[in-house]
Amino acid sequence: MLSERIEGKWIDAFVHSFALCQVKAGDAVAILSETQSRQVNVHLAELALLRIGARPFHVVLPTPPQNAPVPVRSTGSSFAIGELTPVIHALSACSFVADLTVEGLMHSKEFPVIRQAGTRVLYISNEHPEALERLVADASMKGRIRAGRELLLAAKSMHVRSDAGSDLRIDMRDAMVGGNVGFCDEPGQLATWPGGICSCFPAAGAVNGVLVLDEGDINLTFKRYLERPVTLVIENDFVQEIRGTGLDADLMRSYFAAWGDRNAYGVSHVGWGMNPAARWESLVMYDKGDTNGTEQRAYAGNFLYSTGANPRAGRHTLGHFDLPVRNCDIHVDDQCVVRRGELQSELF
């Protein structure tokens, strides 16, 4: 277990990220957290904002009661605010919010209202600050993510294949295109630290084919490297069959089924990692309580396939898997953006 004492270098990392988010002296900034938030990060956010000369204040909410049939991890859909109007008003009145809730506001019910007010939100992922320091935001990421977004916005299709047997096709028409650069410097923008992902929510019925999760790929909901292959058969967005023997396949079948919700089997978002500082192998170096796995979503060249909530397709559920897959070829229309798990960096 890593120590969580305050380190000056971690304050420096927070100052750097907040500066990229255009936080300036005199700005009123809300630090949003809950009772189960990682307190060292809440404290670091306050100290960094004070060093900048901003005027931070805390909004601290009780972590809500559990109401899911299984443990919930890394959904990006915090329920901490609970639609409390005074909290929404307080956040919307700020130009910037440091989001330190456990799950983050990205898919929360309240974020669209906060975004409409022009508030910038940086979700500081529930990581040990050692990882945040190592993956501090990079200003050059913005141009590279923008190039990827432009490819996705213009695309008609995405095709993902691998020697392990993946052959997945995504209709990109009408997809909701996103991308996370790791900092937010525009009104109404939300970013996650660590960042570095090009992604989209496909429209309903857009995803078909087979995705093979091979040995060494990662199930981030379980924070576990796969030891045996698992094959997902996907028809019109939904996982129809989970093929495989052994613990990895059994765990996935059980967790999917526990929700009793067809939408848990649906595709959420797809995309690829863009962050050269993020490492596939680093998960093995952390105890599960010290990591949220955001780094593995962003490592350069992975194909990120996720199941669960998809606002573009009108599907909502707390059931969620994030599955970074190695060694894939990813074509956007006729353009190869990833070849055998290597980002074609000349495109970005």
Side-chain angles (χ1 to χ4, degrees), residues 325-337:
V325 185
R326 298 186 301 158
N327 303 321
C328 290
D329 294 343
I330 305 174
H331 283 81
V332 177
D333 291 336
D334 295 326
Q335 184 78 62
C336 182
V337 296

Side-chain angles (χ1 to χ4, degrees), residues 31-53:
I31 301 172
L32 177 66
S33 66
E34 57 185 285
T35 49
Q36 285 297 310
S37 293
R38 194 183 296 270
Q39 291 304 306
V40 66
N41 289 343
V42 176
H43 197 176
L44 287 165
E46 177 190 305
L47 293 173
L49 290 165
L50 289 171
R51 184 183 291 180
I52 289 170

